[in-house]
């Protein structure tokens, strides 16, 4: 499987996934025609969010339609100007865009270079330090 695709786990052709897709199509139709904040939240959204919250033992969960949307919202929500984000130089563009939107101090460290990261962390006096990297550098 291609790690740069949306099917890197190879599940899009799995029989159970195909059946679940058919079942959802029968019950819910072919989508909302737009994003949730325009067309509203359906029962299926809350069911999935509740299941995730229960699994993780959290009060609530918010699902985003894409990683791009999640990356655009997460950093601005949790980081302040007193905080610092340390981002791998080869992070995905959506992560970089999300970091640019927030008011936190921004630092880039050399790809997978822990010595460079440790040096930058030691120099920072930020209240909270967030290290941001991806699990697989699929775009490298």
């Amino acid at each position: 499987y291609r790690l740069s695709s949306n099917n890197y786990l190879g599940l899009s052709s799995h029989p159970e996934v195909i059946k679940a897709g058919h079942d959802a199509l029968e019950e819910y139709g072919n989508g909302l025609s737009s994003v949730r904040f325009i067309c509203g939240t359906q029962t299926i959204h809350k069911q999935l969010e509740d299941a995730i919250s229960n699994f993780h033992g959290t009060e609530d969960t918010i699902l985003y339609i894409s990683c791009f949307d999640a990356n655009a919202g997460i950093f601005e929500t949790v980081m302040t100007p007193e905080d610092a984000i340390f981002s791998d130089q080869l992070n995905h563009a959506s992560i970089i865009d999300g970091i640019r939107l927030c008011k936190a101090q921004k630092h880039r460290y050399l790809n997978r270079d822990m010595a460079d990261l440790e040096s930058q962390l030691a120099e920072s006096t930020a209240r909270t330090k967030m290290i941001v990297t991806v699990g697989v550098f699929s775009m490298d």
Side-chain angles (χ1 to χ4, degrees):
Y1 298 103
R2 300 204 55 165
L3 293 178
S4 62
S5 75
N6 287 329
N7 187 34
Y8 49 85
L9 296 177
L11 295 175
S12 68
S13 57
H14 191 282
E16 289 181 43
V17 173
I18 293 170
K19 181 181 180 330
H22 282 278
D23 293 347
L25 184 61
E26 288 294 323
E27 185 171 348
Y28 298 102
N30 191 24
L32 292 173
S33 302
S34 188
V35 293
R36 214 169 138 180
F37 68 85
I38 293 174
C39 290
T41 298
Q42 287 191 340
T43 305
I44 194 169
H45 294 123
K46 286 309 298 168
Q47 289 171 342
L48 179 56
E49 289 172 342
D50 290 344
I52 292 170
S53 294
N54 290 334
F55 179 80
H56 288 288
T58 60
E59 182 179 328
D60 203 1
T61 297
I62 298 173
L63 294 176
Y64 289 92
I65 193 165
S66 70
C67 288
F68 181 87
D69 289 336
N71 290 334
I74 188 65
F75 304 110
E76 186 175 19
T77 303
V78 300
M79 302 300 281
T80 71
E82 294 80 34
D83 303 325
I85 298 176
F86 298 83
S87 176
D88 189 291
Q89 71 177 11
L90 293 184
N91 274 339
H92 191 274
S94 67
I95 293 173
I96 295 167
D97 289 345
I99 292 170
R100 286 181 180 149
L101 292 172
C102 79
K103 292 181 172 49
Q105 302 158 40
K106 299 154 186 78
H107 304 271
R108 277 188 351 173
Y109 62 92
L110 298 174
N111 178 239
R112 301 182 305 169
D113 187 328
M114 295 301 100
D116 185 36
L117 173 60
E118 288 174 358
S119 171
Q120 290 188 43
L121 287 168
E123 291 174 12
S124 173
T125 60
R127 179 189 67 163
T128 301
K129 301 173 186 179
M130 178 187 282
I131 301 167
V132 182
T133 189
V134 295
V136 175
F137 290 93
S138 62
M139 306 307 279
D140 185 14

